[in-house]
């Protein structure tokens, strides 16, 4: 009798998990992002942690430096002046920059190139150069005072330099591109059919802007406002040059405490307070953005 052959069953191959194109596994992702995490920890988290520890003193932790900030009228006034100046710079940048953003988003051809150059070329110029330009314009023998005296509007040159108004004006000029670019990007993402549909339903230009264009551009408005406020609240070069010692801000006060007075614990406390105000402002802007999105979706 023929011997029956042993039936060999084919081995089941283990199904491989195919990684979609453009994605990496968890282990490879950790390896790729590890240098960035190390750089972030060494260049950002560690200095901030050291700064906060220095603000509490060398011995037992205490809040003497923070009490000094909030109990001394001079330092509290500098903090409030810095916050109010940053808020005014943000508002002026929004008022002056929104029309430019609309023109930048809707223009075409050579006009679009001219508007983009007018926005980007000052952004590429050094902040130091732009601040010195305002010194030339606002000094007693500068162009602004010369025009005012020659036209007969004032009898003698005005004190325009080294004032809070000069600081706000110069900072608005420096930070306005950071407001224009996010708003222009948000306006470009709005389909033009929305405005045409609103106009066809009887909405006028003002109603179309208030009910369609402005709500849809709010993400760009909030992004530009956050960048302007955060940069303005910690700005150093422009307030130091244009404002001088009479228009002191938190940045110039911190620099004075570290380079002149050499009071590092107090400077660390001032920096920590400024960081806390910045984080609080970011949280408020994010909350306002989420509320505006909810209202727009309901509408």
């Amino acid at each position: 009798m023929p011997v029956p052959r042993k039936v060999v069953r084919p081995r089941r191959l283990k199904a491989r998990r195919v990684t979609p194109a453009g994605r990496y596994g968890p282990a490879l992702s950790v390896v790729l992002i590890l240098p960035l995490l190390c750089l972030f920890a060494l260049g950002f988290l560690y200095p901030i942690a050291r700064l906060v520890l220095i603000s509490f003193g060398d011995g037992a932790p205490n809040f003497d430096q923070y009490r000094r900030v909030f109990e001394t009228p001079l330092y509290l006034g500098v903090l409030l002046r810095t916050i109010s100046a940053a808020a005014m710079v943000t508002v002026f940048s929004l008022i002056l920059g929104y029309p430019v953003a609309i023109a930048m988003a809707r223009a075409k051809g050579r006009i679009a190139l001219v508007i983009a150059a007018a926005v980007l070329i000052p952004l590429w110029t050094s902040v130091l150069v732009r601040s010195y330009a305002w010194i030339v314009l606002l000094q007693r023998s500068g162009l602004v005072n010369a025009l005012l005296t020659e036209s007969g509007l004032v009898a003698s040159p005005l004190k325009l330099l080294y004032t809070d108004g000069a600081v706000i004006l110069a900072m608005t000029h420096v930070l306005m591109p950071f407001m224009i670019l996010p708003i222009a990007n948000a306006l470009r993402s709005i389909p033009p059919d929305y405005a045409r549909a609103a106009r066809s339903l009887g909405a006028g230009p003002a109603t179309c802007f208030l009910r369609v264009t402005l709500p849809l551009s709010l993400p760009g408005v909030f992004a530009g406002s956050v960048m302007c406020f955060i940069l303005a609240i910690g700005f150093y070069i422009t307030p130091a040059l244009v404002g001088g010692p009479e228009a002191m801000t938190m940045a110039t006060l911190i620099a004075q405490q570290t380079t002149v007075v050499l009071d590092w614990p107090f400077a660390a406390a001032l920096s920590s307070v400024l960081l806390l105000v910045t984080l609080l402002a970011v949280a408020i802007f994010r909350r306002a953005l989420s509320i505006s999105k909810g209202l727009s979706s309901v509408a």
Side-chain angles (χ1 to χ4, degrees):
M1 292 181 63
V3 181
R5 293 181 179 180
K6 189 176 181 181
V7 178
V8 180
R9 295 184 179 180
R11 294 177 60 186
R12 290 185 179 180
L13 297 177
K14 219 172 184 181
R16 279 187 176 183
R17 187 175 179 182
V18 181
T19 305
R23 292 188 179 180
Y24 302 100
L28 185 57
S29 299
V30 172
V31 172
L32 291 175
I33 203 174
L34 189 60
L36 180 61
L37 292 177
C38 294
L39 183 63
F40 180 73
L42 293 176
F44 184 74
L45 295 180
Y46 175 74
I48 289 181
R50 286 287 300 167
L51 193 72
V52 175
L53 290 176
I54 291 173
S55 67
F56 287 108
D58 296 331
N62 58 78
F63 295 90
D64 294 341
Q65 305 298 335
Y66 291 95
R67 280 195 293 266
R68 182 180 169 190
V69 174
F70 292 101
E71 291 178 358
T72 307
L74 174 62
Y75 303 135
L76 186 60
V78 171
L79 176 61
L80 296 178
R81 183 188 297 118
T82 303
I83 296 174
S84 62
M88 293 178 68
V89 167
T90 304
V91 172
F92 289 151
S93 298
L94 177 60
I95 294 173
L96 298 175
Y98 201 100
V100 180
I102 293 178
M104 189 176 180
R106 296 180 179 176
K108 296 179 181 180
R110 293 183 178 179
I111 299 178
L113 293 177
V114 171
I115 296 174
V119 174
L120 295 177
I121 289 177
L123 186 62
W124 297 335
T125 309
S126 172
V127 178
L128 189 65
V129 174
R130 285 182 281 175
S131 301
Y132 270 114
W134 281 107
I135 294 176
V136 174
L137 290 174
L138 298 178
Q139 61 184 343
R140 287 188 175 272
S141 58
L143 180 61
V144 177
N145 272 318
L147 292 176
L148 291 176
T149 53
E150 290 178 3
S151 60
L153 295 176
V154 294
S156 59
L158 301 176
K159 184 184 179 182
L160 302 176
L161 199 60
Y162 306 128
T163 60
D164 292 335
V167 172
I168 293 172
L169 180 62
M171 289 175 62
T172 301
H173 169 249
V174 172
L175 298 178
M176 195 184 299
F178 295 97
M179 180 69 74
I180 295 173
L181 295 176
I183 296 176
N185 188 30
L187 290 172
R188 288 195 192 98
S189 64
I190 301 175
D193 297 338
Y194 292 174
R196 285 197 292 264
R199 296 297 296 271
S200 65
L201 293 173
T207 304
C208 181
F209 172 76
L210 294 175
R211 300 293 298 273
V212 178
T213 305
L214 182 60
L216 293 176
S217 66
L218 284 180
V221 171
F222 283 112
S225 300
V226 168
M227 284 194 291
C228 282
F229 186 83
I230 291 175
L231 291 173
I233 203 172
F235 226 57
Y236 172 71
I237 296 177
T238 302
L241 294 177
V242 181
E246 299 180 7
M248 183 176 290
T249 60
M250 286 290 287
T252 55
L253 179 60
I254 292 170
Q256 182 191 65
Q257 295 296 319
T258 54
T259 59
V260 180
V261 185
L262 300 179
D263 192 351
W264 282 87
F266 185 58
L270 292 172
S271 303
S272 302
V273 170
L274 194 61
L275 176 62
L276 183 62
V277 172
T278 304
L279 296 176
L280 183 62
V282 172
I284 292 174
F285 277 115
R286 289 192 61 182
R287 181 62 178 170
L289 178 60
S290 62
I291 292 173
S292 67
K293 285 183 178 179
L295 292 177
S296 62
S297 62
V298 171

